[in-house]
Amino acid sequence: MKINTPRFGELEYKEEDVLNFPKGILGFAEENQFILLNEEIHAPFMWLQSVKNPKLAFVVLNPWEVLSDYQIEFNEEVRTRLQITDEAQVMTLGITIIPEDPRQMTINLRAPLLINVESRLGEQIIHSDDQYDIRYPVLGE
């Protein structure tokens, strides 16, 4: 399959590359299929590219790259929906905003994306407390 994006040009992907977010992503409920672009040249940043909307892509980052003691907890309902049987199946990513001045870059630690890398199912969860910020500075304060 192919998608022609304004940012990356034509991307070729297989059905097994698609990550399914049945609930969508906050603010984008209708967007529920993505591919993860993880090129070494952009490391540690990755792109979550919508397969339905070629113009929609999120910069994402492993939250532990920013905050080494980051903790994520999810309940049994999330485990069931994402078919998680082992913690090793879970990839956690934070949507990252890179403004014109990259020194002002932030990551959303309050609402991380959980992805079961085996089932290819994902969901954005929201921490119930305010321990983590929606706009946590990537480069420190």
Side-chain angles (χ1 to χ4, degrees), residues 15-22 78-85 89-90 114-123:
E15 187 64 37
E16 58 264 23
D17 296 332
V18 176
L19 301 172
N20 292 291
F21 285 76
V78 172
R79 285 180 186 279
T80 300
R81 282 194 300 270
L82 299 183
Q83 302 172 8
I84 297 168
T85 56
Q89 296 172 304
V90 180
L114 297 182
I115 299 167
N116 180 331
V117 296
E118 292 178 15
S119 70
R120 312 298 289 170
L121 290 170
E123 184 172 322

Side-chain angles (χ1 to χ4, degrees), residues 89-103:
Q89 296 172 304
V90 180
M91 174 189 288
T92 304
L93 299 171
I95 294 178
T96 304
I97 304 298
I98 304 176
E100 194 171 309
D101 179 356
R103 295 173 297 182

Side-chain angles (χ1 to χ4, degrees), residues 35-48 91:
I35 53 175
L36 187 62
L37 306 176
N38 185 6
E39 297 179 16
E40 200 169 304
I41 191 169
H42 296 130
F45 300 97
M46 296 172 270
W47 290 88
L48 196 62
M91 174 189 288

Side-chain angles (χ1 to χ4, degrees), residues 63-80:
W64 288 276
E65 293 278 345
V66 178
L67 190 62
S68 62
D69 63 348
Y70 184 69
Q71 295 179 14
I72 183 78
E73 292 181 21
F74 43 95
N75 61 32
E76 197 57 40
E77 290 176 19
V78 172
R79 285 180 186 279
T80 300

Side-chain angles (χ1 to χ4, degrees), residues 45-58:
F45 300 97
M46 296 172 270
W47 290 88
L48 196 62
Q49 171 66 56
S50 169
V51 298
K52 291 181 182 178
N53 180 351
K55 295 179 182 177
L56 181 64
F58 299 101

